[in-house]
Amino acid sequence: MDSLKLYGVRDIRFEKAEEPIMHSDNDVIVKIKAAGICGSDVSRYRLLGPYIIGMIWGHEFSGEVVAIGKAVTNVSINDRVVGCPVVFDGEDYYYKKGEFNRSDFNNAIGAKRPGAFAEYICLPSQNLVKIPNTLSFDAASLVEPSSVVIHGLYRTSLTVGKSVAIVGAGGTLGLIAIQWAKIFGVGKIIAIDIDDAKLELSKKVGADVVINSLNEDTEKLIAKNTDGLKADLVIEAAGSHITASQVFAYAKKGGEILFLGIPYGDVHVKRYYFEKILRSELTVFGSWSNVSAPFPGKEWSDSVKFFAEHKINTEHIVTHRLPLSKGPEIFKKLMERKELIGKVILHPDEK
């Protein structure tokens, strides 16, 4: 079958791989219809390289069930599904507590086992969530990043009428977070980014205020748009080592900070920002992965529900749809940054 394999930093290859086979009566084989490129994929391509050299890459996908093991009861052949990428290779204290995202045995496809940039994938049946016919495969491939966002939001005390500031609002996580904030009934959504084109996308999906933090005083503008109080909740979705410290200045006293982005660099916090944690008595949430009990969690069922009801619009998020064979080419373009590239969806069944 066709696949994309990561061999090293900036070394991704479109090549043949063996089709997956079922090793357990609980396994399912899915024909992949759409697979999205994640921001973490870009960082691993640009900076880190693979966990295992030559591993089939990718973890955001949707597809169709083509084979099931004898013990599988939750899906049938021809079912349309999305796949949770988290697979466990053991049990520990957190796994037994049902805190699956905290388990040391939490491994993702595309890292230590074959991923979704291929024509087929094999997963345990519990990792698959059925989707309705009203939800396109392209849109459904964004259920995975949506589950990441909502997993974090469920940790906070976000309620109707509160204000939210989202840093990195023009990326996939940010654009989805804006729409979830609308669903939560947030009173004011402030989008912060360094790219005007991405800020325009933020407006289209529901942001009330947009701020370009490269040339505007972000802290003052947030205060201006929140009656001088600043935001009830600040979401760091950029994954930048710079904004990871600045966000502490954007929250109101007694407010909350939610970290969704992964900064691939050391975070140095100036005294001014660090003291905001103390003097403003902030609550800081880290958020990791996208699963809960009962596995894979309400993050997945809730995402599928609101996607199917078109409460979350993916058309302003997806900018490129390409055959899988164009994978190496689009990753090079992502490094060049000469054009606006949002979410990229790869289609393994297109030649």
Side-chain angles (χ1 to χ4, degrees):
M1 67 175 180
D2 292 335
S3 71
L4 287 178
K5 296 180 180 180
L6 185 64
Y7 283 87
V9 173
R10 304 200 182 201
D11 184 4
I12 184 172
R13 306 176 195 177
F14 176 69
E15 59 186 28
K16 293 294 183 180
E18 292 185 5
E19 291 189 10
I21 59 174
M22 294 185 289
H23 296 281
S24 162
D25 287 344
N26 191 46
D27 280 349
V28 175
I29 293 179
V30 177
K31 180 177 176 60
I32 295 172
K33 294 291 189 177
I37 294 177
C38 175
S40 65
D41 295 332
V42 176
S43 294
R44 193 153 286 281
Y45 174 82
R46 180 169 58 92
L47 296 170
L48 304 175
Y51 284 95
I52 298 174
I53 294 173
M55 179 60 69
I56 298 174
W57 211 16
H59 60 271
E60 303 177 1
F61 78 95
S62 62
E64 185 177 278
V65 175
V66 294
I68 61 174
K70 296 178 181 178
V72 174
T73 58
N74 63 315
V75 295
S76 302
I77 292 176
N78 296 326
D79 278 349
R80 306 167 81 253
V81 295
V82 291
C84 172
V86 179
V87 182
F88 300 93
D89 58 7
E91 298 181 3
D92 58 9
Y93 170 80
Y94 299 105
Y95 180 92
K96 291 174 181 177
K97 283 186 69 181
E99 296 174 353
F100 303 115
N101 54 307
R102 299 175 182 176
S103 172
D104 287 335
F105 295 102
N106 173 332
N107 292 308
I109 58 172
K112 297 181 179 178
R113 58 182 287 158
F117 291 158
E119 292 185 83
Y120 299 93
I121 192 169
C122 181
L123 280 173
S125 62
Q126 61 264 29
N127 285 66
L128 300 175
V129 180
K130 290 193 285 189
I131 60 173
N133 293 332
T134 55
L135 182 56
S136 73
F137 285 118
D138 279 9
S141 68
L142 273 78
V143 165
E144 195 278 341
S146 170
S147 67
V148 170
V149 172
I150 199 66
H151 178 82
L153 289 178
Y154 284 151
R155 301 206 67 210
T156 72
S157 60
L158 187 63
T159 54
V160 173
K162 287 191 174 182
S163 58
V164 175
I166 302 170
V167 179
T172 298
L173 294 183
L175 293 170
I176 291 175
I178 290 170
Q179 297 182 75
W180 272 116
K182 284 287 185 184
I183 292 169
F184 272 71
V186 164
K188 182 163 287 186
I189 301 171
I190 301 169
I192 303 157
D193 209 295
I194 60 174
D195 187 319
D196 286 332
K198 289 186 175 182
L199 287 171
E200 282 301 312
L201 293 179
S202 299
K203 281 184 182 179
K204 289 179 179 179
V205 300
D208 300 302
V209 178
V210 296
I211 300 172
N212 187 318
S213 56
L214 276 183
N215 50 40
E216 297 179 278
D217 190 324
T218 305
E219 188 176 349
K220 285 185 178 179
L221 285 174
I222 291 174
K224 179 182 177 181
N225 284 280
T226 53
D227 298 323
L229 297 175
K230 300 185 184 175
D232 290 295
L233 171 66
V234 182
I235 301 173
E236 206 298 314
S240 162
H241 66 282
I242 297 173
T243 57
S245 64
Q246 294 172 340
V247 290
F248 299 122
Y250 302 160
K252 68 186 294 186
K253 293 181 179 180
E256 297 177 340
I257 309 289
L258 171 64
F259 282 94
L260 293 179
I262 305 171
Y264 289 95
D266 292 339
V267 177
H268 301 283
V269 185
K270 292 182 179 180
R271 176 180 174 181
Y272 173 78
Y273 295 123
F274 186 82
E275 285 199 351
K276 292 292 183 182
I277 305 173
L278 284 72
R279 294 178 182 272
S280 296
E281 297 193 322
L282 303 179
T283 300
V284 180
F285 295 98
S287 182
W288 183 251
S289 192
N290 52 6
V291 291
S292 61
F295 185 86
K298 62 182 180 178
E299 296 91 336
W300 290 84
S301 56
D302 287 354
S303 290
V304 169
K305 170 182 168 60
F306 283 96
F307 271 58
E309 294 177 356
H310 305 293
K311 299 289 179 61
I312 296 181
N313 186 325
T314 62
E315 289 305 306
H316 295 306
I317 302 175
V318 178
T319 60
H320 292 67
R321 294 174 170 86
L322 302 167
L324 187 67
S325 59
K326 298 294 184 182
E329 179 182 322
I330 194 63
F331 270 97
K332 287 180 181 178
K333 287 185 177 180
L334 284 163
M335 297 302 99
E336 293 169 358
R337 299 184 179 182
K338 292 181 179 179
E339 60 181 291
L340 173 63
I341 302 178
K343 175 59 70 175
V344 178
I345 303 295
L346 299 176
H347 294 147
D349 57 358
E350 289 184 11
K351 303 301 180 183

